[in-house]
Amino acid sequence: MSFNPTRARRSAFAVAAAGLLLTTAACGSSNDASGSSGDANAKVTMTLWTNSTTGPGVQFFKDAATAFHTQHPNVTIKVQSVQNEDYDGKLQTALQAGKGSAPDIMFQRGGGKMLAMVQAGQLGELTLSGDASSNISTGAQSIFQADGKTYGVPLSITPEGIWYSTDLFKKAGLTGTPTTIADLTSDAAKLQAAGTPLAVGGKDGWPAAHWYYMFAVRDCSQDALNKAASSAQFADPCFLQAGKDLGTFVATKPFEKDAFNTAAQGSAASTAGLLANHKVAGELMGAWEPGVVGDLTPDKKPLADLGYFPFPSTVDGKGDATAMMEGADGYSCSAWAPQQCNEFLNFLATADQESKYATAFSAIPANKAAQGSVTDAASKAALEAANNAKYSVLFLDTLFGSNIGNALNTAVVNFMSGQSSDPQSIVDAVNNASTKG
């Protein structure tokens, strides 16, 4: 595959030292021709695509657009929502159609997925403000950089772990949280017996794949992860071991019935909805979970008993027990966006706006000056775990980009759902997709 310009980049943002963080429609762009003419006072209308579809998340962007318009009366921003699971496909189609179809401002996951957009000439280079440069960690910035240039502005960081109902854990007789997979297996059995198992939204693929990602982070050394990031190959035996350990855990039947016909988000029947209504005890997710769950509680308020713990360690795992898998949610400008797009993204990255973003999404802001706005116990625990991580790894599907990432996720789902019984199939899927390019 055409990895040459990307291997070093992937290696750079794949694994970092502690404190450095790596690692949601209608019409498209509607900017006036005058918007890119260099006249800062020309009337401009920009479109913004977000994967937030309901509640305070969407309202945050509408309020931010209004606030920016107040400061810049010539600039109007139209906010459009796209369902998260549909987002990547619709964005890819719009960007390929180019000017007139692509949004000016777009939700961005970074990593290999963003890199493909950069290489296709679909994103505009950005210049961060002094405030954003100094208050957002270089690790979080690096997720949205390629070849030394910036193509996205991070608004939040998303450390991964298990988000759970403290009430349901107590009801099942659990007095603490597990630190080893053996403990997690025992706890999952008690939760299953109590009628409130752990959950996985296998219908969407990626939530199941994240279980494999975390076993890999625990079983593989930092060096092995770095080599995989730079080569896009699972050469180290630890990646097979991660599959074996995942298989052993899945064989204990820790998840809800019909897990692979259950979606992850968006309705009361999704795993987030089941957790929000105390039908399941917890699930593995990134730090967007409090906001997603909060939108699905009966009163549409944050789940009062939501807790968080880091993914447990494996027996003889080579990865550091504190190592974190995470990503960042950011926004980019399309290659056809007017100059005011860059200014709007720096406006969103201010501590004031990121504090409001964090409140709206129950998220952890990327701007360190805004992280004091994190008040719920679960998110504070996730932030502490991220800050204490010896190193962090970007979500593997984001890291590898769509082709390899989709192959990896499909292989994991097939293995976890019983369509494949050999964990080697996961390793082979990545290596074969990497070879094909």
Side-chain angles (χ1 to χ4, degrees), residues 36-81:
S36 57
S37 66
D39 182 354
N41 296 316
K43 287 188 176 181
V44 170
T45 299
M46 297 188 290
T47 53
L48 183 154
W49 281 19
T50 176
N51 63 347
S52 179
T53 57
T54 59
V58 174
Q59 191 60 46
F60 163 79
F61 285 108
K62 291 180 178 178
D63 291 344
T66 299
F68 192 76
H69 179 74
T70 299
Q71 295 181 12
H72 308 275
N74 60 315
V75 181
T76 299
I77 299 170
K78 296 182 177 179
V79 177
Q80 298 173 356
S81 297

Coordinates of all heavy atoms in Angstrom, one line a residue, residues 36-81:
S36 N -13.7 33.7 0.0 CA -12.3 33.4 -0.2 C -11.6 34.4 -1.0 O -10.5 34.1 -1.5 CB -12.3 32.0 -0.9 OG -13.0 32.1 -2.1
S37 N -12.1 35.6 -1.1 CA -11.5 36.6 -1.9 C -10.5 37.4 -1.1 O -9.7 38.2 -1.7 CB -12.6 37.6 -2.4 OG -13.1 38.3 -1.3
G38 N -10.3 37.2 0.2 CA -9.4 37.9 1.0 C -10.0 39.1 1.7 O -9.4 39.8 2.5
D39 N -11.3 39.4 1.3 CA -12.0 40.5 2.0 C -12.6 40.0 3.3 O -13.6 39.3 3.3 CB -13.1 41.1 1.1 CG -13.8 42.3 1.7 OD1 -13.5 42.6 2.9 OD2 -14.6 42.9 1.0
A40 N -12.0 40.4 4.4 CA -12.5 39.9 5.7 C -13.9 40.4 6.0 O -14.5 39.8 6.9 CB -11.5 40.3 6.8
N41 N -14.4 41.4 5.4 CA -15.7 41.9 5.7 C -16.8 41.4 4.7 O -17.9 41.8 4.8 CB -15.7 43.5 5.7 CG -14.8 44.0 6.8 OD1 -14.8 43.6 7.9 ND2 -13.9 45.0 6.4
A42 N -16.4 40.6 3.7 CA -17.3 40.1 2.8 C -18.3 39.2 3.5 O -18.0 38.5 4.5 CB -16.6 39.3 1.7
K43 N -19.6 39.1 3.0 CA -20.6 38.2 3.6 C -20.2 36.8 3.3 O -20.0 36.4 2.2 CB -22.0 38.6 3.1 CG -22.5 39.9 3.7 CD -24.0 40.1 3.3 CE -24.5 41.4 4.0 NZ -25.9 41.6 3.7
V44 N -20.3 36.0 4.3 CA -19.9 34.5 4.2 C -20.9 33.7 4.9 O -21.4 34.0 6.0 CB -18.5 34.3 4.8 CG1 -18.2 32.8 4.9 CG2 -17.4 34.9 4.0
T45 N -21.3 32.6 4.2 CA -22.2 31.6 4.9 C -21.4 30.3 4.8 O -21.0 29.8 3.8 CB -23.5 31.4 4.2 OG1 -24.2 32.7 4.2 CG2 -24.4 30.4 4.8
M46 N -21.2 29.6 6.0 CA -20.5 28.4 6.1 C -21.4 27.3 6.6 O -22.3 27.6 7.5 CB -19.3 28.5 6.9 CG -18.2 29.5 6.4 SD -16.7 29.4 7.3 CE -17.2 30.2 8.9
T47 N -21.2 26.1 6.2 CA -22.0 24.9 6.7 C -21.1 24.2 7.7 O -19.9 24.0 7.4 CB -22.4 24.0 5.6 OG1 -21.3 23.6 4.8 CG2 -23.5 24.6 4.7
L48 N -21.6 23.6 8.7 CA -20.9 22.9 9.7 C -21.6 21.5 9.9 O -22.8 21.5 10.2 CB -20.9 23.6 11.1 CG -20.1 23.0 12.2 CD1 -19.6 24.1 13.2 CD2 -20.9 22.0 13.0
W49 N -20.9 20.5 9.7 CA -21.4 19.1 10.0 C -20.9 18.6 11.3 O -19.7 18.6 11.6 CB -20.9 18.2 8.9 CG -21.7 18.3 7.6 CD1 -22.5 19.3 7.2 CD2 -21.7 17.3 6.5 NE1 -23.0 19.1 5.9 CE2 -22.6 17.9 5.5 CE3 -21.2 16.1 6.3 CZ2 -22.8 17.2 4.3 CZ3 -21.4 15.4 5.1 CH2 -22.3 15.9 4.1
T50 N -21.8 18.1 12.1 CA -21.5 17.5 13.4 C -22.2 16.2 13.5 O -23.2 15.9 12.9 CB -21.9 18.4 14.6 OG1 -21.7 17.8 15.8 CG2 -23.4 18.8 14.5
N51 N -21.6 15.3 14.3 CA -22.2 14.0 14.5 C -23.1 14.0 15.7 O -23.6 13.0 16.2 CB -21.2 12.9 14.7 CG -20.2 13.0 15.9 OD1 -20.2 14.1 16.4 ND2 -19.5 12.0 16.2
S52 N -23.3 15.2 16.3 CA -24.2 15.3 17.4 C -25.6 15.6 16.8 O -25.8 16.5 16.0 CB -23.8 16.5 18.3 OG -24.7 16.7 19.4
T53 N -26.6 14.8 17.3 CA -27.9 14.8 16.6 C -29.0 15.3 17.5 O -30.1 15.6 17.0 CB -28.3 13.4 16.1 OG1 -28.3 12.5 17.2 CG2 -27.3 13.0 15.0
T54 N -28.7 15.3 18.8 CA -29.8 15.7 19.7 C -29.3 16.6 20.9 O -28.1 16.6 21.1 CB -30.5 14.5 20.4 OG1 -29.5 13.7 21.1 CG2 -31.1 13.6 19.3
G55 N -30.2 17.2 21.6 CA -30.0 17.8 22.9 C -29.0 18.9 22.9 O -28.7 19.7 21.9
P56 N -28.3 19.1 24.0 CA -27.4 20.2 24.2 C -26.2 20.2 23.3 O -25.5 21.3 23.1 CB -26.9 20.0 25.7 CG -27.2 18.6 26.1 CD -28.4 18.2 25.2
G57 N -25.8 19.1 22.7 CA -24.6 19.0 21.8 C -24.9 19.9 20.6 O -24.1 20.7 20.2
V58 N -26.0 19.6 20.0 CA -26.4 20.4 18.8 C -26.6 21.9 19.2 O -26.2 22.8 18.4 CB -27.7 19.9 18.2 CG1 -28.2 20.8 17.0 CG2 -27.5 18.5 17.6
Q59 N -27.2 22.1 20.3 CA -27.4 23.5 20.8 C -26.1 24.2 21.0 O -26.0 25.4 20.7 CB -28.3 23.5 22.1 CG -28.8 24.9 22.5 CD -29.7 25.5 21.4 OE1 -30.6 24.8 20.9 NE2 -29.5 26.7 21.0
F60 N -25.1 23.5 21.5 CA -23.8 24.1 21.6 C -23.3 24.8 20.3 O -22.9 25.9 20.3 CB -22.7 23.1 22.1 CG -21.3 23.6 21.9 CD1 -20.8 24.6 22.8 CD2 -20.6 23.2 20.8 CE1 -19.5 25.1 22.6 CE2 -19.3 23.7 20.6 CZ -18.7 24.6 21.5
F61 N -23.4 24.0 19.2 CA -22.9 24.5 18.0 C -23.8 25.7 17.5 O -23.2 26.6 16.9 CB -22.8 23.4 16.9 CG -21.6 22.5 17.2 CD1 -21.8 21.2 17.6 CD2 -20.3 23.0 16.9 CE1 -20.7 20.4 17.9 CE2 -19.2 22.1 17.1 CZ -19.4 20.9 17.6
K62 N -25.1 25.6 17.7 CA -26.0 26.7 17.3 C -25.6 28.0 18.1 O -25.6 29.1 17.5 CB -27.4 26.3 17.5 CG -27.9 25.2 16.5 CD -29.4 24.9 16.8 CE -29.8 23.8 15.8 NZ -31.3 23.4 16.0
D63 N -25.4 27.8 19.4 CA -25.0 28.9 20.2 C -23.6 29.5 19.8 O -23.4 30.7 19.8 CB -25.0 28.5 21.7 CG -26.4 28.2 22.2 OD1 -27.4 28.6 21.6 OD2 -26.5 27.6 23.3
A64 N -22.7 28.6 19.5 CA -21.4 29.1 19.1 C -21.4 29.8 17.8 O -20.8 30.9 17.6 CB -20.4 27.9 19.0
A65 N -22.3 29.3 16.9 CA -22.4 30.0 15.6 C -23.0 31.4 15.8 O -22.6 32.4 15.2 CB -23.3 29.2 14.7
T66 N -24.0 31.5 16.7 CA -24.6 32.8 17.0 C -23.6 33.7 17.7 O -23.6 34.9 17.3 CB -25.8 32.6 17.9 OG1 -26.8 31.8 17.3 CG2 -26.5 33.9 18.3
A67 N -22.8 33.2 18.6 CA -21.8 34.1 19.3 C -20.8 34.6 18.3 O -20.4 35.7 18.3 CB -21.2 33.3 20.4
F68 N -20.3 33.7 17.4 CA -19.4 34.1 16.4 C -20.0 35.1 15.4 O -19.3 36.1 15.1 CB -18.9 32.9 15.6 CG -17.6 33.1 14.8 CD1 -16.4 33.2 15.3 CD2 -17.8 33.3 13.4 CE1 -15.3 33.5 14.6 CE2 -16.6 33.5 12.6 CZ -15.4 33.6 13.2
H69 N -21.2 34.9 15.1 CA -21.9 35.9 14.2 C -22.0 37.3 14.9 O -21.9 38.3 14.2 CB -23.3 35.4 13.8 CG -24.1 36.3 13.0 ND1 -23.8 36.5 11.6 CD2 -25.2 37.1 13.2 CE1 -24.7 37.3 11.1 NE2 -25.5 37.8 12.1
T70 N -22.2 37.3 16.2 CA -22.3 38.5 16.9 C -21.0 39.3 16.8 O -20.9 40.5 16.6 CB -22.6 38.3 18.4 OG1 -23.9 37.6 18.5 CG2 -22.7 39.6 19.2
Q71 N -19.9 38.5 16.9 CA -18.6 39.1 16.8 C -18.2 39.5 15.3 O -17.5 40.4 15.1 CB -17.5 38.2 17.3 CG -17.6 37.9 18.8 CD -16.5 37.0 19.3 OE1 -15.5 36.7 18.6 NE2 -16.6 36.5 20.6
H72 N -18.7 38.7 14.4 CA -18.5 38.9 13.0 C -19.8 38.8 12.2 O -20.2 37.8 11.7 CB -17.6 37.7 12.5 CG -16.3 37.6 13.3 ND1 -15.1 38.3 13.1 CD2 -16.0 36.8 14.3 CE1 -14.2 37.9 14.0 NE2 -14.7 37.0 14.8
P73 N -20.5 40.0 12.2 CA -21.8 40.0 11.6 C -21.9 39.6 10.1 O -23.0 39.3 9.6 CB -22.2 41.5 11.8 CG -21.4 42.0 12.9 CD -20.1 41.3 12.8
N74 N -20.8 39.6 9.5 CA -20.8 39.2 8.1 C -20.7 37.7 7.9 O -20.8 37.1 6.8 CB -19.6 39.8 7.3 CG -18.3 39.4 7.9 OD1 -18.1 39.4 9.1 ND2 -17.3 39.1 7.0
V75 N -20.5 36.9 9.0 CA -20.3 35.5 8.9 C -21.5 34.7 9.5 O -21.9 35.0 10.7 CB -19.1 35.0 9.6 CG1 -18.9 33.5 9.5 CG2 -17.8 35.7 9.1
T76 N -22.2 33.9 8.7 CA -23.3 33.0 9.1 C -22.9 31.6 9.0 O -22.3 31.2 8.0 CB -24.5 33.3 8.3 OG1 -24.9 34.7 8.4 CG2 -25.7 32.4 8.7
I77 N -23.2 30.8 10.1 CA -22.8 29.4 10.1 C -24.1 28.6 10.3 O -24.9 28.8 11.2 CB -21.8 29.1 11.2 CG1 -20.5 29.9 11.0 CG2 -21.5 27.6 11.3 CD1 -19.6 29.8 12.2
K78 N -24.3 27.6 9.3 CA -25.5 26.8 9.4 C -25.1 25.4 9.9 O -24.2 24.8 9.3 CB -26.1 26.6 8.0 CG -26.7 28.0 7.5 CD -27.4 27.8 6.1 CE -28.0 29.1 5.6 NZ -28.6 28.9 4.3
V79 N -25.7 24.9 11.0 CA -25.3 23.7 11.7 C -26.2 22.6 11.1 O -27.4 22.7 11.1 CB -25.5 23.8 13.2 CG1 -25.2 22.5 13.9 CG2 -24.5 24.9 13.7
Q80 N -25.5 21.5 10.7 CA -26.3 20.3 10.2 C -25.8 19.1 11.0 O -24.6 18.9 11.1 CB -26.1 20.2 8.7 CG -26.6 21.4 8.0 CD -26.3 21.3 6.5 OE1 -25.6 20.4 6.0 NE2 -26.8 22.3 5.7
S81 N -26.7 18.2 11.4 CA -26.4 17.0 12.1 C -26.4 15.8 11.2 O -27.3 15.6 10.3 CB -27.4 16.7 13.3 OG -27.3 17.8 14.2

